[in-house]
Amino acid sequence: MDRKKIKLGIAPIAWTNDDMPDLGRENTFEQCISEMALAGYKGTEIGNKYPVRAKQLKKALTLRKLKVANSWFSTYLLDKPYEQVEKEFVKKCKFLKSAGAKVIGVSEQTHSIQGDMSKAVFKCKYVLDDAEWKTLADGLNKLGQVALSMGMTMVFHHHMGTVVQTAAEIDRLMELTDEDKVGLLFDSGHLAYCGEDYLAVLKKYARRTRHVHLKDIRGEVVKKVKEEGLSFLQGVRLGTFTVPGDGEIDFKPIFDILDESGYEGWMIVEAEQDPAIANPLEYALKARKYIRKTAGI
């Protein structure tokens, strides 16, 4: 891959889990970003321990030669008035832009079961009707236009347990939204988790992919989650996810598709695990070595 086009970062969720703060409670913000830099990464997404003032965040990252790549933003377009969602979205975009980021990743959280320990992730997922799809798509098109007007790129993050999880749901979303306003955040781990052909999805939407999460899975844990009716977060605790090079996904074809499509932007290693079991620095180094060998960057 072209080193000039690709920037490699890592998410802080390996150090401290946003959804289950007890995982990695002992790890500080400073330790997290210092170990990211030590492992050879150039960027980070934003976690719950990061400074809420852009100037303070940017200074801490600059000292370590890191940049902000992206941040998660929860939309509730099916549950809240659009104006309220837009107001919160604009605030987040302003913060990200001040911190030096150019991308904002959104995920529709109305009806999401990803954070509900009582809901089986493979059995309880909500399915949208036609009217809800229209509401979601219309709202995302509007937010995407707002992002563009602010010099930001909006990408949509398909995710286990949410209303956009499967390949068919990604197809529907891409069909109903404006490609200039709504990009795709491609996440290898979430598509592999739900049994989809992640390479086919990437081939189909490579030129609409504007942010990438490099996430691997452990098949035996996914099997257990499915057979025992476990929740998404229970699976995380058991080790559903891991870093590239440690699980079942061969990332070479993923890198090849992105390279052939002319992808330019961030690739982010993301693997929420229990840091007491999977030492964050150790796994960050493992992923960095694998990506250097496999992608040539």
Side-chain angles (χ1 to χ4, degrees):
M1 299 188 81
D2 190 338
R3 292 171 181 265
K4 296 178 181 178
K5 291 183 177 180
I6 304 299
K7 296 170 285 187
L8 186 63
I10 189 167
I13 201 165
W15 282 263
T16 301
N17 193 293
D18 288 350
D19 296 316
M20 296 178 289
D22 63 295
L23 296 184
R25 179 176 285 132
E26 70 282 3
N27 296 324
T28 66
F29 162 67
E30 289 80 6
Q31 176 190 343
C32 172
I33 59 173
S34 293
E35 291 185 353
M36 287 175 174
L38 181 62
Y41 295 90
K42 300 300 182 184
T44 175
E45 294 190 340
I46 294 177
N48 62 7
K49 289 183 179 177
Y50 281 41
V52 295
R53 294 183 178 178
K55 188 176 180 180
Q56 183 183 358
L57 173 60
K58 197 171 182 180
K59 180 180 179 181
L61 295 178
T62 301
L63 286 171
R64 296 161 176 85
K65 297 181 180 179
L66 293 172
K67 294 182 178 179
V68 177
N70 172 36
S71 179
W72 173 286
F73 179 80
S74 296
T75 57
Y76 291 88
L77 292 164
L78 300 172
D79 187 47
K80 294 181 180 180
Y82 171 78
E83 292 74 19
Q84 182 181 341
V85 177
E86 183 185 291
K87 183 178 179 181
E88 295 166 357
F89 181 77
V90 167
K91 182 179 179 182
K92 190 61 171 281
C93 282
K94 286 180 177 177
F95 169 76
L96 287 171
K97 192 170 183 179
S98 295
K102 296 179 180 178
V103 176
I104 180 167
V106 304
S107 175
E108 178 61 27
Q109 289 298 293
T110 308
H111 305 302
S112 173
I113 60 168
Q114 72 183 70
D116 190 337
M117 284 282 196
S118 69
K119 297 285 180 65
V121 71
F122 278 103
K123 296 177 182 178
C124 302
K125 194 190 91 62
Y126 187 87
V127 178
L128 299 180
D129 61 28
D130 289 344
E132 289 170 321
W133 272 114
K134 186 178 187 310
T135 299
L136 176 60
D138 288 349
L140 289 172
N141 280 330
K142 290 178 184 176
L143 291 179
Q145 181 58 51
V146 170
L148 283 175
S149 71
M150 299 179 69
M152 298 287 291
T153 296
M154 189 186 82
V155 292
F156 190 91
H157 188 351
H158 58 90
H159 196 289
M160 286 294 293
T162 71
V163 295
V164 184
Q165 169 183 294
T166 67
E169 287 166 340
I170 293 171
D171 284 343
R172 189 80 184 269
L173 185 77
M174 296 292 98
E175 177 188 346
L176 292 173
T177 53
D178 186 329
E179 63 180 284
D180 294 327
K181 299 172 184 176
V182 183
L184 180 67
L185 188 164
F186 173 80
D187 191 307
S188 54
H190 282 283
L191 281 169
Y193 193 150
C194 63
E196 298 289 6
D197 185 340
Y198 49 87
L199 292 179
V201 173
L202 182 58
K203 284 178 184 177
K204 191 171 187 178
Y205 298 112
R207 296 195 180 278
R208 198 164 168 180
T209 296
R210 293 166 196 150
H211 199 69
V212 174
H213 279 177
L214 303 175
K215 180 181 291 187
D216 213 335
I217 61 166
R218 295 184 175 97
E220 70 277 8
V221 182
V222 172
K223 185 171 182 285
K224 181 180 178 69
V225 170
K226 195 168 189 176
E227 290 179 349
E228 298 183 14
L230 302 181
S231 70
F232 176 75
L233 293 182
Q234 285 174 318
V236 169
R237 284 187 180 275
L238 290 171
T240 297
F241 297 119
T242 187
V243 299
D246 190 57
E248 297 196 348
I249 296 176
D250 177 4
F251 282 83
K252 181 64 165 62
I254 292 175
F255 295 143
D256 288 345
I257 293 169
L258 290 170
D259 191 34
E260 289 165 10
S261 72
Y263 178 76
E264 188 169 351
W266 286 98
M267 297 198 304
I268 304 293
V269 172
E270 187 198 35
E272 49 263 57
Q273 302 188 76
D274 183 346
I277 298 173
N279 180 274
L281 176 57
E282 178 186 349
Y283 277 75
L285 287 165
K286 181 181 292 190
R288 187 68 192 90
K289 181 179 179 182
Y290 174 81
I291 294 167
R292 186 177 290 113
K293 178 182 177 182
T294 311
I297 58 173

